[in-house]
Amino acid sequence: MRHSSPKLSYGYTKMNIARGGYRVFSANSSAACTELAQKITERLGVELGKSVVYQESNSETRVDVKESVRGQDIFIIQTIPRDVNTAVMELLVMAYALKTSCAKNIIGVIPYFPYSKQCKMRKRGSIVCKLLASMLAKAGLTHIITMDLHQKEIQGFFNFPVDNLRASPFLIQYIQEEIPNYRNAVIVAKSPSAAKRAQSYAERLRLGLAVIHGEAHHSESDMADGRHSPPLSRAITGHTGLELPLMMAKEKPPISVVGDVGGRIAIIVDDIIDDVEDFVAAAEILKERGAYKIYVMATHGLLSAEAPRLIEESAIDEVVVTNTVPHEVQKLQCPKIKTVDVSMILAEAIRRIHNGESMAYLFRNIAMDD
């Protein structure tokens, strides 16, 4: 009697996968950071690559790859914990170790791309995101899979392919299945800059849209993208012959809500939830305007500092984030935090890239503004 090999995810057998020549590694050995990598490999039907990543007594990062990678496609999964700089070094050192071990292609699976907020010049600062892109290329990466970049233009910083996946289908599914009476909800943008994202959710769910306008304090300086060169304090001798028109300073109005939220469920959507003060302030305004339940949906739940305590004490009823960033400790501190698993789309992206298949299926109905 002929015995067939056991079927695994996506219809592949273990023999097919072994012959295909790819390995999946985690760039961090801690349990919290390998959780997503374990879920992805389970969906692919492969074992996580054998490697050891650790810190020396002097805090230097050391990586030991325990199996041959010669001529294979290597996928490095790196989730970013609170110690961002250590995670970046782990990724760089592992990529370089695989490069010098003659891996054919090295693909970084970085669901939350660090330093993505530092993608614009601010006074005499630097565009750190561009620096990181150059470092990853130099270390040996040939491709990156990420999710919901803070600005889509970041893809232009790289000189190799970048697949910017979207978490919105999973969050929209959560709204439809887990929020009772979601048809009575309104999608809220906590600032005008988040209006496009909120509009995308509202149109897909066939719901109304509200935008919170004005701020109690400036989260970013109005002069953040200015150039003070030469400095204003420098004495200018002689007449320059130029009389430039004076730019009037911005004055933001008091916080107001554009749109009706009275007697409705308010769902605030954004890409990152880190310092939660803005979300807490938005929830209070929405509560004052008559919203009877408030949800916050975001792709990346960094939840730094006192975020769990502030959420627990706020008018927010539930915060829903994906597992692109480890946040199990924060969930223990605040039961309002819920997690949506996105390992399915990351696993499918890995499978398609290795097999040379089109990625278009993963971007169905994704518009330019999404």
Side-chain angles (χ1 to χ4, degrees):
M1 182 177 177
R2 186 179 178 183
H3 296 280
S4 60
S5 300
K7 289 287 183 179
L8 299 171
S9 301
Y10 306 108
Y12 280 76
T13 64
K14 193 164 286 187
M15 183 181 294
N16 289 336
I17 290 174
R19 192 185 298 136
Y22 80 97
R23 293 286 187 273
V24 181
F25 287 87
S26 173
N28 192 302
S29 298
S30 67
C33 295
T34 56
E35 182 181 354
L36 179 60
Q38 292 285 0
K39 289 183 177 180
I40 291 173
T41 52
E42 285 174 10
R43 290 184 180 277
L44 289 168
V46 299
E47 292 183 358
L48 195 61
K50 296 179 176 63
S51 65
V52 178
V53 184
Y54 61 97
Q55 311 301 315
E56 298 275 15
S57 58
N58 61 355
S59 298
E60 288 184 0
T61 299
R62 183 177 289 274
V63 173
D64 290 329
V65 179
K66 299 295 186 180
E67 57 184 283
S68 174
V69 296
R70 184 179 295 273
Q72 299 186 34
D73 292 337
I74 305 299
F75 295 85
I76 308 174
I77 300 172
Q78 179 63 311
T79 53
I80 306 298
R82 290 191 175 188
D83 190 353
V84 177
N85 296 328
T86 298
V88 170
M89 278 306 300
E90 289 169 345
L91 179 59
L92 291 170
V93 175
M94 174 163 274
Y96 191 66
L98 294 166
K99 176 183 177 181
T100 54
S101 298
C102 300
K104 181 181 178 182
N105 294 302
I106 304 171
I107 300 95
V109 183
I110 315 170
Y112 167 67
F113 194 79
Y115 288 99
S116 59
K117 286 188 174 182
Q118 298 189 48
C119 60
K120 296 180 181 179
M121 180 66 76
R122 302 184 186 282
K123 295 185 180 179
R124 293 184 184 84
S126 61
I127 305 176
V128 184
C129 196
K130 167 62 176 171
L131 171 64
L132 181 55
S134 302
M135 292 167 64
L136 292 172
K138 194 70 176 177
L141 287 184
T142 58
H143 195 140
I144 277 182
I145 302 170
T146 187
M147 182 167 282
D148 281 337
L149 286 169
H150 188 56
Q151 299 288 340
K152 298 179 193 65
E153 293 78 9
I154 291 173
Q155 294 175 82
F157 293 164
F158 296 86
N159 57 6
F160 52 75
V162 176
D163 287 309
N164 182 27
L165 304 176
R166 305 296 196 275
S168 52
F170 297 90
L171 296 175
I172 287 173
Q173 183 181 36
Y174 184 94
I175 292 172
Q176 293 172 321
E177 296 179 357
E178 302 296 334
I179 298 182
N181 197 24
Y182 83 92
R183 289 290 181 190
N184 189 37
V186 59
I187 304 297
V188 179
K190 70 177 180 66
S191 65
S193 61
K196 280 188 177 181
R197 182 183 301 273
Q199 182 181 358
S200 173
Y201 276 74
E203 289 176 351
R204 282 168 167 74
L205 291 165
R206 277 65 170 172
L207 299 177
L209 176 66
V211 179
I212 298 176
H213 180 49
E215 289 181 341
H217 61 279
H218 300 311
S219 58
E220 292 185 4
S221 171
D222 291 332
M223 298 294 288
D225 294 320
R227 304 288 188 276
H228 297 312
S229 183
L232 297 178
S233 60
R234 180 182 295 178
I236 300 176
T237 59
H239 193 273
T240 62
L242 294 175
E243 292 187 9
L244 300 177
L246 178 65
M247 177 64 77
M248 296 183 65
K250 290 181 180 179
E251 185 176 339
K252 295 193 177 182
I255 295 180
S256 61
V257 180
V258 181
D260 182 24
V261 296
R264 313 283 286 279
I265 300 170
I267 304 175
I268 305 172
V269 296
D270 212 336
D271 62 329
I272 299 172
I273 177 167
D274 189 2
D275 296 323
V276 299
E277 285 86 352
D278 289 346
F279 292 93
V280 170
E284 291 176 357
I285 292 295
L286 294 169
K287 208 75 171 179
E288 292 174 4
R289 298 296 191 276
Y292 70 89
K293 205 158 190 180
I294 299 168
Y295 291 82
V296 175
M297 316 283 292
T299 303
H300 310 296
L302 304 186
L303 303 168
S304 301
E306 296 295 315
R309 180 183 62 81
L310 294 174
I311 292 169
E312 187 66 27
E313 297 172 356
S314 71
I316 299 171
D317 293 284
E318 196 169 285
V319 173
V320 183
V321 294
T322 71
N323 56 344
T324 56
V325 178
H327 53 265
E328 292 305 315
V329 174
Q330 291 90 327
K331 286 179 70 174
L332 293 174
Q333 297 171 345
C334 178
K336 291 182 179 181
I337 300 171
K338 309 296 180 183
T339 307
V340 174
D341 181 26
V342 293
S343 62
M344 179 189 300
I345 193 171
L346 294 170
E348 180 65 7
I350 289 172
R351 189 190 70 81
R352 285 175 176 270
I353 288 172
H354 171 65
N355 292 328
E357 299 178 21
S358 170
M359 297 287 283
Y361 178 77
L362 305 183
F363 294 93
R364 292 170 301 165
N365 301 322
I366 301 293
M368 288 291 292
D369 293 335
D370 289 338

